[in-house]
């Protein structure tokens, strides 16, 4: 698993938009493997009914690092992310094949309870979606349902530390009983992150966590992501190339359900190997 | 021309004015190719013309129709001989009824002949009056036709003359439509106010003979009053407490069945059932609400009540053959679809993002339903329950057939009780005097019922507002 494949250079000489879609993708270029993989995905395919949304994708999520999934709209990056904590199980027509492991454990094994998996692999959504409850209850929710606490003092402790880790505690400590929906968009999103952290997950999946936020709130979230990677493995879907460049250590470029290129973030953004990646990050496509 | 024919003519004229308005506006613009120069679309000119043609004429027609009868009668009375005019208003009414009957059954020539050949002065006058009435009616009809058509044509002509490139046809037609919308809501509100006022006045009438304290706090209900001074029995006592207690008992039993079952159906259908099953089960459930209540009534009286009585007797309990339990259970069954259908809508309306957030944190489906979906859907669910409660309180047919007439003040569901609605029905059916306390009591009961439901609604609104969990 630690072997490193040499980047396979494809002979691609086309630059016009019209011919881009005709490029035949054969194999992912770059390096999909991580030295210390928290999650590994091999030959993943996802179908919605007859439509194939993900086509034979393999990659690793490096432990305690941030992996950014980028690509044009509809390329399957969100679908892929949702496979990592089996959120797609709730969609009836969705069919998933391939091998998904978390710490070398098959997460699609029959014996594995998706409910327990989701406690280990948390998720932050595109639009801030706090429960219509108080700030305190929002964070306490996960701890309560997983029975992580024995008394009120422990719960207070979890709520406080989670809010602190999400960088929200100082702003809300005097109004923990106010409704979470009354916060600003950026604060709501940090509340959702705090809520996710409160369950002590190992991996956090973020689906465009800053796309609904203003630049200042976005900057705060990005700083937070950078701090969170000390304790958690993070995968983030983003439409912002700058954001991917700022927060991630690894970047995967998706195109029409396929993984085109993956590698260290600085390599992808300075020396993309694949023509499609280059066109996308230079703004010529997507 | 009679009114309905006139109405259709007016309708045709209105349709024509639409076309006319469109054509005129195009002409003002200087042909269809220049219609961009108009500030409003030609269709909007047409719409305005049609409304200006139809509405004033229609209003005139309505006013004329309602006033016609009175004016014609006044004119007729003024032509009658003095000895008849001096009769009391009741006798004149009877006399006029006769004349109306004659005027509508006989032809004009027959009437003229009748007034000529009859030697009896009284009969002669009647024939003459009937003939006058026919003439007056005819004149009124002509006048009406002419007035309506002239108003329609004049208003269109006046309007069309004002058309210019900058004429604001859209704004004008929109403000007319707005006025129509306001008028429609006014109709609903005024009707409600009218009903309340009429019930209120009859109740005041009732409270003149029975004190409100006795009515509201008395525990005896036996509304038989003496019709003659010397009649024995039927002193009449109007304590409404047993009726309200009976209503509450039956409603309570019904809700005890309908709320849990309805809520569980809603949760199952919205969260667990497959799309196929839901598409089949939801309409099936709603059929339950479509069964006429009288069918539920004899189902309750003939099937459920005997079963409950037999079962109770096998346990050694004494069960009345018309028990509150039977009526309550059947009413509860009837109400289940109200609760389930509205609650399901409320639960389905909770944003999917909240559900995903809960799943994403490792909550199970049941935890998500209990801790996220139900609290978020609470206002809708409370609304559904309230609607069901008011339905249960106001329900009449089932209780008339299954709960009985005995005004027992009891909390035992196996006893026979009666409800407010049942008593209103019994008070008002059959030949009744409309000024005895017995009949007027029905209005007082209706007023109390109305106040109770209103109070419940206000209370529930407060509860919902206090506990509602806001999501955007």
């Amino acid at each position: 698993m630690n072997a490193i494949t040499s980047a396979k250079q494809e002979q691609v000489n086309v630059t016009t938009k019209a011919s881009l879609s005709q490029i035949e993708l054969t194999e992912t270029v770059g390096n999909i493997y991580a030295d210390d993989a928290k999650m590994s995905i091999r030959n993943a395919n996802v179908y919605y009914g007859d439509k194939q949304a993900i086509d034979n994708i393999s990659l690793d999520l490096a432990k305690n690092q941030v992996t950014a999934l980028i690509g044009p709209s509809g390329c399957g990056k969100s679908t892929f992310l949702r496979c990592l904590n089996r959120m797609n199980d709730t969609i009836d027509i969705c069919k998933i094949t391939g091998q998904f492991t978390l710490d070398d454990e098959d997460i699609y094994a029959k014996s594995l309870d998706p409910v327990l998996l989701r406690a280990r692999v948390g998720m932050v959504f595109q639009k801030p979606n706090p429960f219509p409850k108080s700030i305190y209850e929002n964070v306490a929710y996960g701890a309560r349902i997983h029975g992580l606490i024995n008394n009120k003092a422990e719960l207070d402790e979890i709520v406080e530390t989670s809010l602190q880790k999400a960088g929200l505690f100082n702003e809300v400590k005097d109004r923990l009983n106010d409704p979470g929906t009354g916060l600003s968009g950026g604060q709501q999103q940090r509340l959702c992150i705090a809520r996710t952290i409160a369950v002590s997950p190992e991996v956090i999946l973020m689906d465009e966590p800053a796309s609904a936020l203003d630049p200042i709130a976005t900057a705060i979230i990005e700083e937070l992501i950078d701090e969170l990677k000390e304790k958690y493995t993070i995968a983030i879907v983003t439409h912002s190339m700058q954001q991917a460049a700022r927060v991630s250590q690894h970047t995967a470029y998706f195109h029409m359900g396929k993984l085109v290129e993956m590698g260290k973030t600085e390599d992808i953004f300075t020396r993309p190997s694949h023509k499609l990646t280059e066109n996308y990050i230079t703004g010529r496509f997507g | 021309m009679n009114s309905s024919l006139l109405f259709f003519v007016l309708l045709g004229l209105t349709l024509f004015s639409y076309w006319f308005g469109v054509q005129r506006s195009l002409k003002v613009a200087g042909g269809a190719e220049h219609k961009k120069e108009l500030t409003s679309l030609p269709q909007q000119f047409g719409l305005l013309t049609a409304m200006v043609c139809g509405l004033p004429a229609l209003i005139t027609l309505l006013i004329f129709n309602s006033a016609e009868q009175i004016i014609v009668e006044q004119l007729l009375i003024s032509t009658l001989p003095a000895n008849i005019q001096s009769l009391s208003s009741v006798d004149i009414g009877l006399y006029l009824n006769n004349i109306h009957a004659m005027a509508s059954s006989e032809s004009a020539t027959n009437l003229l002949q009748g007034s000529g050949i009859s030697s009896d002065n009284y009969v002669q006058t009647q024939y003459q009056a009937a003939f006058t009435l026919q003439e007056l009616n005819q004149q009124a009809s002509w006048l009406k036709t002419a007035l309506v058509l002239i108003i329609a044509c004049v208003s269109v002509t006046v309007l069309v003359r004002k058309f210019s490139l900058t004429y604001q046809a859209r704004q004008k037609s929109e403000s007319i439509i707005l006025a129509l919308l306001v008028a429609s809501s006014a109709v609903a509100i005024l009707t409600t106010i009218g009903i309340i006022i009429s019930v209120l006045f009859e109740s005041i009438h009732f409270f003149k003979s029975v004190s409100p304290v006795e009515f509201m706090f008395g525990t005896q209900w036996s509304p038989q009053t003496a019709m003659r001074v010397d009649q024995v029995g039927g002193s009449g006592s109007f304590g409404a407490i047993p009726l309200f207690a009976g209503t509450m008992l039956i409603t309570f039993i019904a809700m005890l069945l309908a709320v849990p079952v309805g809520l569980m159906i809603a949760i199952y259908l919205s969260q667990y059932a497959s799309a196929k099953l839901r598409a089949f089960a939801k309409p099936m459930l709603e059929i339950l609400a479509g069964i006429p209540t009288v069918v539920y009534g004899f189902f309750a009286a003939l099937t459920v009540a005997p079963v409950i009585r037999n079962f109770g007797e096998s346990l050694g309990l004494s069960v009345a053959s018309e028990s509150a339990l039977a009526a309550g259970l059947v009413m509860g069954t009837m109400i289940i679809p109200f609760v389930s259908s509205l609650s399901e809508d409320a639960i389905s309306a909770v944003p999917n993002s909240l559900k995903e957030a809960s799943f994403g944190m490792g909550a199970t489906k049941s935890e998500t339903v209990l801790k996220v979906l139900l609290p978020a859907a609470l206002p809708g669910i409370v609304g559904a329950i309230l609607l069901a409660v008011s339905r249960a309180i106001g329900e009449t047919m089932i209780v008339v057939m299954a709960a009985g007439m005995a005004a027992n003040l009891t909390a035992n569901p196996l006893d026979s009780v009666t409800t407010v609605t049942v008593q209103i029905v019994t008070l008002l059916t059959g030949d009744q005097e409309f000024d005895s306390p017995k009949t007027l009591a029905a209005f007082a009961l209706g007023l109390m019922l109305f106040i109770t439901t209103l109070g419940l609604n206000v209370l529930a609104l407060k509860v919902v507002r206090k506990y509602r969990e806001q999501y955007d």
Side-chain angles (χ1 to χ4, degrees):
Chain A
M1 196 169 281
N2 293 341
I4 294 172
T5 51
S6 61
K8 184 182 174 188
Q9 293 289 329
E10 281 188 66
Q11 283 307 110
V12 183
N13 299 317
V14 277
T15 50
T16 56
K17 274 190 185 184
S19 49
L20 271 175
S21 57
Q22 289 154 14
I23 299 171
E24 193 62 31
L25 291 169
T26 49
E27 210 171 311
T28 305
V29 296
N31 175 23
I32 61 163
Y33 301 110
D35 292 341
D36 188 7
K38 181 72 185 172
M39 292 190 86
S40 300
I41 295 89
R42 294 294 175 266
N43 309 108
N45 289 288
V46 179
Y47 305 86
Y48 288 120
D50 296 336
K51 191 177 163 286
Q52 187 163 15
I54 296 286
D55 187 358
N56 200 26
I57 286 181
S58 304
L59 61 80
D60 283 349
L61 296 184
K63 193 172 184 178
N64 289 2
Q65 300 209 317
V66 180
T67 306
L69 312 180
I70 62 170
S73 296
C75 66
K77 52 196 191 304
S78 287
T79 301
F80 180 75
L81 196 72
R82 290 165 62 93
C83 291
L84 302 183
N85 68 344
R86 296 185 59 174
M87 281 301 278
N88 284 336
D89 286 18
T90 54
I91 301 166
D92 293 336
I93 57 163
C94 184
K95 189 171 147 267
I96 300 163
T97 63
Q99 198 190 10
F100 297 74
T101 58
L102 170 65
D103 288 338
D104 294 329
E105 193 184 338
D106 182 6
I107 63 171
Y108 279 87
K110 284 224 162 53
S111 57
L112 191 126
D113 185 353
V115 164
L116 297 178
L117 171 72
R118 290 182 200 136
R120 292 173 67 191
V121 184
M123 190 155 199
V124 176
F125 296 85
Q126 179 173 7
K127 197 167 158 264
N129 54 354
F131 297 124
K133 301 173 185 291
S134 69
I135 295 170
Y136 185 93
E137 283 302 319
N138 258 289
V139 184
Y141 180 79
R144 282 222 173 95
I145 58 173
H146 291 297
L148 300 176
I149 37 120
N150 298 314
N151 53 45
K152 179 87 167 77
E154 279 181 39
L155 188 61
D156 288 348
E157 170 77 25
I158 285 184
V159 171
E160 189 182 325
T161 49
S162 304
L163 283 171
Q164 254 158 1
K165 280 187 207 158
L168 190 62
F169 187 69
N170 287 332
E171 292 163 55
V172 300
K173 64 182 173 206
D174 301 323
R175 46 179 177 140
L176 287 175
N177 290 319
D178 287 6
T181 42
L183 297 172
S184 75
Q187 288 173 326
Q188 283 189 17
Q189 194 61 298
R190 277 181 284 151
L191 178 62
C192 294
I193 293 174
R195 183 175 69 182
T196 309
I197 295 171
V199 203
S200 319
E202 296 155 38
V203 181
I204 301 178
L205 310 173
M206 296 183 170
D207 192 354
E208 299 180 48
S211 67
L213 305 180
D214 67 70
I216 295 168
T218 303
I220 297 172
I221 297 275
E222 285 177 4
E223 242 170 73
L224 177 62
I225 293 172
D226 208 45
E227 287 166 23
L228 289 175
K229 77 168 193 289
E230 305 295 328
K231 300 197 81 170
Y232 310 99
T233 302
I234 295 174
I236 176 172
V237 164
T238 177
H239 267 127
S240 157
M241 248 82 67
Q242 291 88 335
Q243 187 172 68
R246 281 193 298 264
V247 301
S248 70
Q249 286 74 49
H250 303 275
T251 298
Y253 173 65
F254 282 60
H255 186 89
M256 296 178 72
K258 295 180 184 186
L259 179 57
V260 176
E261 180 168 359
M262 184 168 180
K264 283 191 170 9
T265 297
E266 64 257 35
D267 292 342
I268 295 276
F269 281 96
T270 51
R271 299 181 295 276
S273 320
H274 200 288
K275 197 71 197 167
L276 280 171
T277 319
E278 190 188 326
N279 285 332
Y280 183 71
I281 63 170
T282 52
R284 252 175 286 172
F285 179 77
Chain B
M1 218 183 286
N2 65 25
S3 291
S4 48
L5 182 60
L6 185 58
F7 176 75
F8 284 111
V9 170
L10 191 58
L11 207 63
L13 212 56
T14 308
L15 288 177
F16 171 75
S17 334
Y18 176 83
W19 175 84
F20 185 59
V22 172
Q23 295 308 316
R24 282 304 293 235
S25 65
L26 288 177
K27 200 174 165 197
V28 166
E33 63 273 19
H34 297 296
K35 66 179 177 191
K36 286 254 158 66
E37 288 170 28
L38 291 165
T39 42
S40 304
L41 294 173
Q43 294 93 301
Q44 289 157 349
F45 277 96
L47 183 65
L48 181 66
T49 321
M51 286 194 292
V52 165
C53 168
L55 285 176
L58 192 65
I59 292 167
T60 316
L61 182 62
L62 288 176
I63 293 173
F64 201 104
N65 268 348
S66 52
E68 189 183 5
Q69 191 78 22
I70 301 163
I71 293 169
V72 164
E73 275 188 0
Q74 286 307 318
L75 287 173
L76 182 63
I77 290 169
S78 67
T79 64
L80 293 174
N83 62 334
I84 290 173
Q85 282 194 43
S86 62
L87 288 172
S88 75
S89 62
V90 176
D91 288 334
I92 289 189
L94 288 172
Y95 190 81
L96 287 179
N97 274 349
N98 262 343
I99 294 175
H100 274 295
M102 284 172 73
S104 56
S105 60
E106 303 278 339
S107 73
T109 43
N110 279 354
L111 289 174
L112 267 182
Q113 272 178 357
S115 73
I117 56 167
S118 179
S119 53
D120 187 342
N121 193 24
Y122 182 75
V123 176
Q124 202 177 351
T125 322
Q126 273 197 339
Y127 272 114
Q128 207 133 39
F131 179 69
T132 321
L133 180 63
Q134 278 191 345
E135 277 198 321
L136 281 172
N137 275 340
Q138 204 139 43
Q139 281 166 8
S141 174
W142 280 116
L143 185 64
K144 181 166 66 185
T145 310
L147 199 63
V148 166
L149 293 182
I150 287 172
I151 285 179
C153 294
V154 167
S155 21
V156 168
T157 320
V158 170
L159 175 81
V160 164
R161 275 170 179 271
K162 283 194 273 185
F163 279 5
S164 69
L165 282 179
T166 54
Y167 191 75
Q168 298 188 311
R170 180 175 57 82
Q171 287 86 335
K172 292 217 163 74
S173 58
E174 273 171 5
S175 53
I176 293 177
I177 289 172
L178 183 65
L180 282 178
L181 297 180
V182 172
S184 311
S185 35
V187 166
I189 294 169
L190 289 177
T191 314
T192 314
I193 294 175
I195 291 175
I196 294 172
I197 288 176
S198 88
V199 170
L200 195 65
F201 276 101
E202 297 292 345
S203 305
I204 290 170
H205 210 60
F206 169 74
F207 287 129
K208 276 179 194 154
S209 50
V210 176
S211 91
V213 176
E214 189 206 326
F215 178 72
M216 275 183 271
F217 302 106
T219 55
Q220 277 295 321
W221 178 263
S222 116
Q224 307 309 324
T225 47
M227 289 171 98
R228 298 186 311 274
V229 186
D230 57 336
Q231 198 175 4
V232 185
S235 57
S237 55
F238 293 94
I241 290 280
L243 307 189
F244 280 92
T247 306
M248 291 304 154
L249 179 63
I250 290 182
T251 306
F252 181 71
I253 295 168
M255 298 321 283
L256 223 51
L257 175 71
V259 172
V261 174
L263 263 184
M264 283 192 251
I265 291 173
I267 291 169
Y268 174 71
L269 283 185
S270 67
Q271 299 303 319
Y272 293 91
S274 68
K276 247 188 200 161
L277 183 71
R278 184 163 52 238
F280 167 75
K282 218 182 164 186
M284 285 306 283
L285 266 170
E286 276 154 11
I287 287 178
L288 212 55
I291 297 175
T293 53
V294 67
V295 176
Y296 278 110
F298 57 71
F299 175 64
L302 302 180
T303 312
V304 178
V307 166
I308 289 176
R309 193 186 53 211
N310 292 342
F311 181 70
E313 274 165 2
S314 71
L315 294 175
L317 297 165
S318 88
V319 183
S321 54
E322 295 178 315
S323 64
L325 190 60
L329 288 181
V330 173
M331 195 191 277
T333 314
M334 181 196 80
I335 284 170
I336 286 173
F338 284 82
V339 180
S340 71
S341 198
L342 290 172
S343 304
E344 200 221 307
D345 291 345
I347 293 173
S348 305
V350 175
N352 206 31
S353 64
L354 289 184
K355 211 167 119 183
E356 287 204 322
S358 181
F359 285 150
M361 296 176 61
T364 62
K365 219 162 185 175
S366 59
E367 284 163 345
T368 305
V369 167
L370 282 177
K371 295 185 174 160
V372 177
L373 295 182
L374 284 186
L378 188 70
I381 293 171
V382 172
I385 292 173
L386 253 160
L387 186 77
V389 169
S390 2
R391 185 72 214 255
I393 289 179
E395 173 51 42
T396 316
M397 226 44 234
I398 294 176
V399 278
V400 164
M401 299 176 88
M405 306 283 176
N408 296 326
L409 183 55
T410 175
N412 179 3
L414 303 178
D415 261 352
S416 162
V417 296
T418 192
T419 70
V420 178
T421 49
V422 169
Q423 287 307 314
I424 292 177
V425 169
T426 37
L427 290 175
L428 290 182
T429 41
D431 283 340
Q432 304 288 353
E433 303 171 74
F434 260 85
D435 50 357
S436 77
K438 189 184 160 193
T439 14
L440 289 174
F443 289 96
L445 286 177
L447 184 69
M448 290 286 285
L449 202 58
F450 175 73
I451 292 171
T452 315
T453 13
L454 189 72
L456 270 177
N457 283 349
V458 171
L459 187 78
L461 260 178
K462 281 227 159 100
V463 170
V464 167
R465 218 168 277 162
K466 186 160 179 215
Y467 294 104
R468 114 174 272 169
E469 294 189 335
Q470 205 89 37
Y471 55 81
D472 45 21

